[in-house]
Amino acid sequence: MADLTTSYLGLELRSPIIASCSPLTGREDSLLQLAENGAGAVVLPSLFQEEAEAEELAASDLMDIGDDFAEFASAPLPEIDFTDVGPARHVEWLRRAKELVQIPVIASVNGSKVGDWAKYARLMAEAGADAIELNLYSVNADPGESSAEVEARYLEIIESVRGRIEVPLAVKLSQHFTGLSAFARRADEAGADGLVLFNRFYGAEINLDSLALESRLALSSPEELRFVLRWIGILRAQRPGLSLAATSGVHSGLDALKALLVGANVACTASALLHNGPGHLKVMLHELDAWLDEHDYESVKQLQGSMSAANVPDPGQFERAQYMKVITSSL
């Protein structure tokens, strides 16, 4: 059996497949199954900025109620349990997850605006998170905000979080960057230890009967991996010291293998596990190991990055050539 260990964000993992944040990483039974079936690490469900702020505001309003109603002046309010309010429940689940599994546990915080992200990330780090995944997801629809201003806001968030935690920091990005190579360099300089590529777009569906917007979970497909492979191959050549995680479209061990070949440290999967169950992780690792054995590789590290753009003088022109080849071959 080949050596499947890898390094990600400075953490030594027993395998290169990570269970991304999903309902499976938020329950005891499925979390244990993910660990038992070989996950290199798990990413817990995200703490959302809006969720934390709204719940903390509600709790604050409840505590202040005595100032507004005279009938409470002579009697204390009933004792209130705040363990399930705001970020507290995420912190408690993180602590419980660390007790349950012996693999790295990564906490996810999700937002897009400058605010209390440094505080939330620090809470997670102090609770025992082995790393923080900062998920910068937003739809920037303000016509008065330029792309440069959006990126500056993101970098400010990265810097503020980096300044408050000592554990490794990964930043999860969307595909929608005009100059991703430049932003990756600036994110690296701002303190990111790694990038997770890419966030999936979850758009609302329109119900034609009720004329209402509906939220529907659409699982990924292996075809989505192509864009991820392109950019990991490019960034591995440009940012050799930066950890890179592939996500969106990783459904098999061979999908994970492709990501490793272009330079990913790890491949993250959620949709495949939601569709097939936690036991699918063992199937994926078996596929990966079988390929390594068949092609005489002794370890994952031996092949990582062997098909990146490191040996291409101009990655952009290389990608342009591949694009032209596909288009012209169909004529």
Side-chain angles (χ1 to χ4, degrees):
M1 183 174 180
D3 179 3
L4 299 184
T5 61
T6 188
S7 177
Y8 175 59
L9 301 173
L11 304 170
E12 289 301 316
L13 308 187
R14 64 182 181 180
S15 83
I17 301 181
I18 287 179
S20 296
C21 59
S22 78
L24 294 175
T25 62
R27 301 194 307 263
E28 287 194 12
D29 58 343
S30 50
L31 184 71
L32 284 168
Q33 291 174 46
L34 291 170
E36 290 168 359
N37 282 284
V42 292
V43 183
L44 300 187
S46 292
L47 165 63
F48 286 88
Q49 177 180 17
E50 296 86 350
E51 172 191 34
E53 290 175 351
E55 291 182 354
E56 288 189 329
L57 181 61
S60 177
D61 289 345
L62 187 58
M63 292 299 293
D64 292 340
I65 196 170
D67 296 334
D68 298 323
F69 295 91
E71 56 265 37
F72 291 118
S74 60
L77 287 171
E79 185 175 342
I80 302 171
D81 182 5
F82 285 99
T83 58
D84 198 38
V85 175
R89 70 171 177 275
H90 292 272
V91 170
E92 289 305 311
W93 173 236
L94 170 61
R95 288 175 176 156
R96 180 59 180 151
K98 289 289 294 180
E99 294 173 354
L100 289 170
V101 299
Q102 303 302 312
I103 57 176
V105 175
I106 300 171
S108 171
V109 290
N110 189 312
S112 61
K113 299 178 180 178
V114 176
D116 287 336
W117 287 110
K119 179 182 77 173
Y120 300 146
R122 186 177 180 85
L123 280 173
M124 296 298 187
E126 291 177 344
D130 294 288
I132 301 295
E133 183 176 285
L134 180 62
N135 192 332
L136 296 176
Y137 180 86
S138 65
V139 178
N140 303 300
D142 183 353
E145 185 177 41
S146 69
S147 58
E149 291 171 324
V150 171
E151 292 187 8
R153 171 158 49 86
Y154 286 171
L155 291 167
E156 185 178 352
I157 295 172
I158 295 170
E159 289 177 347
S160 66
V161 172
R162 176 73 279 168
R164 294 290 299 277
I165 64 172
E166 296 182 1
V167 299
L169 173 63
V171 180
K172 192 171 186 178
L173 300 176
S174 76
Q175 301 179 6
H176 306 297
F177 283 83
T178 303
L180 182 57
S181 289
F183 185 81
R185 174 183 59 80
R186 296 173 70 193
D188 190 358
E189 294 169 350
D193 297 295
L195 298 179
V196 183
L197 308 176
F198 289 102
N199 232 319
R200 297 193 66 237
F201 173 70
Y202 293 104
E205 179 61 275
I206 297 177
N207 186 317
L208 295 177
D209 293 324
S210 62
L211 294 182
L213 294 177
E214 296 182 347
S215 298
R216 296 181 183 176
L217 175 63
L219 299 180
S220 71
S221 67
E223 286 72 25
E224 296 178 45
L225 186 61
R226 294 184 186 184
F227 194 76
V228 177
L229 297 178
R230 167 196 288 177
W231 275 106
I232 287 186
I234 291 173
L235 293 178
R236 173 50 64 225
Q238 297 173 345
R239 316 302 306 169
L242 198 65
S243 282
L244 297 174
T247 190
S248 289
V250 179
H251 283 247
S252 69
L254 300 183
D255 292 332
L257 176 67
K258 294 174 185 177
L260 297 170
L261 282 167
V262 296
N265 296 84
V266 293
C268 307
T269 184
S271 292
L273 301 179
L274 288 170
H275 182 74
N276 299 294
H280 186 61
L281 255 171
K282 182 177 289 186
V283 175
M284 295 174 69
L285 289 170
H286 177 74
E287 291 173 338
L288 175 59
D289 181 62
W291 189 95
L292 292 171
D293 183 61
E294 181 181 349
H295 292 80
D296 297 322
Y297 282 96
E298 296 180 357
S299 69
V300 162
K301 293 179 180 178
Q302 188 180 355
L303 62 78
Q304 279 178 318
S306 59
M307 293 187 67
S308 75
N311 297 318
V312 180
D314 187 343
Q317 286 301 314
F318 174 77
E319 289 296 328
R320 174 73 176 175
Q322 299 307 306
Y323 164 76
M324 291 177 61
K325 183 177 180 180
V326 171
I327 296 297
T328 55
S329 65
S330 64
L331 298 178

